[in-house]
Amino acid sequence: MTDQPLISEFTQEPLQSTEISNSSTIPAEELERLTSDIVAALKTVFDPEIPVDIYELGLIYKVDIEDDRSVKIDMTLTAPGCPVAGEMPIWTENAVSAVPGVSHVDVTMVFDPPWDPSRMSDEARVALNYF
């Protein structure tokens, strides 16, 4: 296993444009496919109160793909008191676990730094009419 994440922590940069580490034993084209499929899976998870997926909302802080194809995700919520706080990590884990080639998924809920609207993508801003 590598100690270095293959998809590193990001702030407002989308995962698909994050630099991928060369230290993986996973072939580059497979790593690109996994990355793309994981992003697509994250985009299927929605906060029931907001019509935008968790990826575009900027709730995903970090995704690490390990050499054994396990995936570690740090995510947050728009507010710590979110009514689905206990369920959203499970939805995220289930979505990413369904990606072919992923061996295991571990989702950690973090609140530092706290989420704020500046983390939203332009797509989310348009969907929410937030300018």
Side-chain angles (χ1 to χ4, degrees):
M1 275 198 215
T2 179
D3 290 346
Q4 197 170 9
L6 301 179
I7 303 175
S8 59
E9 185 172 342
F10 63 98
T11 54
Q12 295 180 23
E13 294 294 317
L15 282 173
Q16 57 267 35
S17 70
T18 301
E19 188 172 325
I20 296 174
S21 168
N22 293 330
S23 63
S24 177
T25 61
I26 301 172
E29 52 282 342
E30 176 65 6
L31 188 56
E32 287 179 33
R33 184 202 60 83
L34 276 171
T35 301
S36 177
D37 290 354
I38 289 168
V39 169
L42 291 169
K43 288 184 171 197
T44 67
V45 181
F46 287 79
D47 181 321
E49 297 177 336
I50 304 171
V52 177
D53 66 79
I54 62 172
Y55 179 81
E56 297 298 338
L57 276 174
L59 299 181
I60 303 300
Y61 283 3
K62 183 170 64 171
V63 175
D64 291 340
I65 302 172
E66 302 292 335
D67 285 347
D68 67 354
R69 298 169 192 261
S70 62
V71 178
K72 295 178 183 174
I73 300 171
D74 286 354
M75 70 175 293
T76 196
L77 302 170
T78 55
C82 178
V84 293
E87 298 171 55
M88 192 153 331
I90 295 167
W91 299 340
T92 303
E93 179 182 337
N94 290 342
V96 175
S97 291
V99 171
V102 169
S103 65
H104 175 75
V105 179
D106 181 32
V107 177
T108 302
M109 188 65 65
V110 297
F111 294 101
D112 187 30
W115 179 88
D116 68 71
S118 70
R119 299 188 65 88
M120 290 189 296
S121 70
D122 289 341
E123 181 179 312
R125 291 175 195 282
V126 168
L128 296 174
N129 229 6
Y130 187 89
F131 299 99

